[in-house]
Amino acid sequence: MTYTKLASASAIVLAATTLSTKANAEDLTLCWAAWDPANALVELSKEFEAESGHTMNFEFVPWPNFADRMLNELNSGGKLCDLLIGDSQWIGGGAENGHYVKLNDFFDAEGISMDDFAPATVYAYSTWPKGTPNYYALPAMGDANGWFYRKDWFEDPDIQAAYKEATGQDLREPESQKELLQIAQFFQGREIDGKTVYGAAIFTERGSEGITMGVTSALYPWGFKYENTPGSYDMEGAVNSPEAVEALEFYKEFYKTATPPGYTNSYMGESLDAFKSGQVAMAMNWFAFFPGLYADPNTGGDKIDFFVNPPQNQAGSTLGGQGISVVSYSDKQDAALEYIKWFAQPEVQAKWWELGGYSAHNSVLEDPGFVDSQPFAGDFLEAMAGVQDFWQEPAYAELLLAMQKRIHDYVVADQGTAQEALDLLIEDWTEVFEDEGKL
C-alpha cells in the first residue's frame, strides 16, 4: 500500500472515530472552588475535550461560600455536578451518605493504582474509612498551609543589622515557630521605605474555616492530636494537652503582637492583599497561591521567597488540597469516569503542575527536576511529608463550626483562657459524636 493510500485510510478511520465519539459526547460539569488552580484546570481540560469529544463546563464557587453551596447540592441529591473536587474533610460524608461513587472497581479495570500517588494525599483525599483501600476520589490537588516573605527586606543590610542588634541573631527563614514570632514582632510597626509595616498576616476568619486552618499551623508543630488513639474519639488529654494549650496561647500572642491592625476576620484573600500591598513582612497561605504570588509584578520575583511551616516540638503542616470524585447523582457517570482516567495519566499530571496545579502523582513529585522547577517546589514536598488534617468525619461541618467559635472567641474576642477554650471544644465535639452514635 502506498503512503497516500495509507494516509487516506487513516483519515477515514479517524473521521469515523470522531463521529462515533461526537455521537456519544456529553456536556460534563466539574464543580470546584473559584481560585487560581481552577483557572489552570480549565486550560488543562481543553486537551480532554479535544481527545474525548465531551464538553467541559465548570461551576466555580468563591471559597467562603464553597462548602455551603456544594454540600447543599450533595445533600439534596442535585445533578449540577458530574465531577466534584471536594475538600478533604468531605470524604467521610461523601462516602457514608452515598454522594460519591466508589472507584475501586473502576481503578482496577483501568489499571489506575493508588500506589502511584503520594501516600499522604491518598490517605487524606481518597480513602474512607481512613487508611483502608476504599477509594472515593482520585488525588487532584495537593496542598498545605505554608509561608512567604519579603526576601528583599530580609536581605537589606540595614534591616539585617537592626535585627542582629535587637535579637543577637541573624535574620533568616525561621527554623521554629517561636523564631517565626520573633521575626514577625521585629517587623511589627517598623518603618520601611517611608511606610509603617507589620509582622505577618495570619488566618483569623470565623465564618467558614479560616481560624481553624491558621491555628492548627501552630497546634500541629506543638504535637496536637485529635484523639489519644486513632478511631477512639478519646479526646481528653489530647485536644486539651499542655502542648495544645501552649500552642493556642502562642497563636493568640502572634495575633495580638505581630499582625496588621483590624485583621480580625482574615483568611486567604486578606492574607494575599496584605502581602501584595506591602503591609507585611510575612504571610501564611496555601501553596496553591504561590505560583501567582511569584508571578506578581510588584512583590513577586526576586522580592519574594517561601518556607515550609516551621516545626516546634515536631514538624507539622495543615493539610489543604482535594480529591476529584464522581457524583453519584450524575446521569453522566461513564463520561465523568473518562475524565478521571484521563486526569490520572502521568503526562497529564506533569502538565497540571506546569500550569499551576499541584499534582500528587509520584512521577511528577519524584522527577529529578521537580525541586528546581519552582522556587517553592522543595518546600511543598517537605510540607506534604508532615501534613495533618482536620476531622474527616461525616459530621465534620458541626465539628468545624465548634472549633471556629471556640478558637475565635479566645484568640480574637479575648474570652476566657486557652485551657477553657479547649476544654469547651471537647464538650462540643463530644456532643456531636454522641449524636452521631460514635460515643
Side-chain angles (χ1 to χ4, degrees):
M1 183 182 288
T2 66
Y3 175 80
T4 304
K5 289 181 179 177
L6 181 62
S8 299
S10 297
I12 292 169
V13 172
L14 179 60
T17 303
T18 302
L19 285 172
S20 173
T21 301
K22 295 294 185 184
N24 299 311
E26 301 276 16
D27 283 350
L28 291 173
T29 298
L30 187 154
C31 299
W32 198 11
W35 59 336
D36 290 351
N39 300 329
L41 190 64
V42 172
E43 185 65 28
L44 180 71
S45 297
K46 291 176 182 177
E47 295 184 8
F48 173 75
E49 291 180 311
E51 292 175 20
S52 68
H54 301 307
T55 299
M56 293 299 297
N57 302 298
F58 300 91
E59 182 75 17
F60 297 148
V61 181
W63 271 112
N65 313 110
F66 178 55
D68 284 347
R69 175 73 178 85
M70 288 301 132
L71 292 176
N72 285 338
E73 180 71 20
L74 293 174
N75 290 330
S76 65
K79 297 191 176 186
L80 169 65
C81 311
D82 302 299
L83 293 151
L84 174 61
I85 301 183
D87 255 347
S88 56
Q89 298 97 328
W90 304 0
I91 197 76
E96 290 197 7
N97 297 319
H99 300 324
Y100 293 164
V101 173
K102 189 176 181 181
L103 298 173
N104 287 58
D105 290 345
F106 172 73
F107 286 167
D108 290 344
E110 298 296 341
I112 298 171
S113 173
M114 289 294 95
D115 291 340
D116 291 336
F117 292 83
T121 67
V122 174
Y123 179 87
Y125 307 154
S126 302
T127 64
W128 189 264
K130 299 317 302 172
T132 65
N134 296 289
Y135 306 117
Y136 293 87
L138 182 88
M141 176 74 189
D143 205 2
N145 197 20
W147 291 84
F148 42 100
Y149 66 98
R150 287 295 297 265
K151 183 181 180 183
D152 54 337
W153 294 359
F154 273 54
E155 293 180 347
D156 183 285
D158 292 337
I159 294 176
Q160 288 181 336
Y163 186 80
K164 182 80 168 182
E165 182 178 353
T167 67
Q169 299 172 3
D170 293 328
L171 183 58
R172 63 184 184 187
E173 293 183 3
E175 297 181 1
S176 70
Q177 289 284 313
K178 290 182 178 179
E179 187 176 6
L180 172 68
L181 176 57
Q182 177 179 285
I183 294 170
Q185 289 173 333
F186 165 78
F187 278 103
Q188 183 77 354
R190 186 164 295 275
E191 186 173 305
I192 298 178
D193 298 329
K195 180 180 178 179
T196 300
V197 305
Y198 303 95
I202 63 174
F203 298 158
T204 60
E205 180 264 357
R206 176 167 174 164
S208 61
E209 64 174 17
I211 200 165
T212 297
M213 299 299 104
V215 77
T216 50
S217 291
L219 289 170
Y220 296 153
W222 253 269
F224 175 88
K225 301 292 182 188
Y226 291 93
E227 308 162 278
N228 289 299
T229 304
S232 69
Y233 306 100
D234 177 10
M235 297 170 283
E236 185 67 41
V239 170
N240 58 354
S241 69
E243 293 80 12
V245 170
E246 184 178 333
L248 183 52
E249 290 171 343
F250 167 87
Y251 199 78
K252 179 170 184 173
E253 183 184 359
F254 205 129
Y255 166 70
K256 293 294 185 182
T257 65
T259 61
Y263 272 61
T264 60
N265 195 39
S266 62
Y267 195 21
M268 293 179 269
E270 290 78 12
S271 164
L272 297 172
D273 290 344
F275 189 82
K276 290 180 178 181
S277 63
Q279 287 186 65
V280 293
M282 301 181 292
M284 66 164 49
N285 221 315
W286 303 106
F287 274 83
F289 293 109
F290 289 10
L293 284 161
Y294 185 65
D296 185 85
N298 298 317
T299 54
D302 57 4
K303 293 182 179 180
I304 194 173
D305 210 346
F306 309 87
F307 58 90
V308 71
N309 190 49
Q312 191 57 42
N313 298 328
Q314 63 182 45
S317 293
T318 299
L319 182 75
Q322 300 88 27
I324 182 169
S325 299
V326 175
V327 178
S328 63
Y329 313 113
S330 167
D331 295 326
K332 305 167 186 175
Q333 291 183 20
D334 288 345
L337 288 168
E338 282 184 52
Y339 187 91
I340 298 282
K341 178 182 177 181
W342 168 82
F343 187 73
Q345 297 175 95
E347 58 270 24
V348 174
Q349 289 289 304
K351 185 73 175 291
W352 178 222
W353 169 248
E354 286 177 27
L355 290 172
Y358 278 77
S359 173
H361 202 284
N362 290 330
S363 66
V364 177
L365 302 179
E366 295 174 1
D367 186 285
F370 180 81
V371 170
D372 297 323
S373 64
Q374 293 285 359
F376 41 80
D379 293 319
F380 173 66
L381 285 181
E382 184 180 348
M384 293 305 292
V387 287
Q388 290 180 245
D389 199 13
F390 189 73
W391 293 107
Q392 294 190 338
E393 295 285 329
Y396 108 93
E398 293 91 333
L399 300 167
L400 180 60
L401 288 173
M403 187 160 184
Q404 285 285 107
K405 171 177 168 50
R406 295 304 182 190
I407 300 305
H408 197 277
D409 283 352
Y410 169 68
V411 171
V412 177
D414 276 331
Q415 295 180 18
T417 66
Q419 184 72 59
E420 289 167 347
L422 295 173
D423 290 346
L424 289 168
L425 184 57
I426 290 177
E427 292 181 16
D428 296 337
W429 285 352
T430 298
E431 184 175 340
V432 173
F433 288 128
E434 285 176 346
D435 290 343
E436 290 286 296
K438 301 289 178 72
L439 283 175

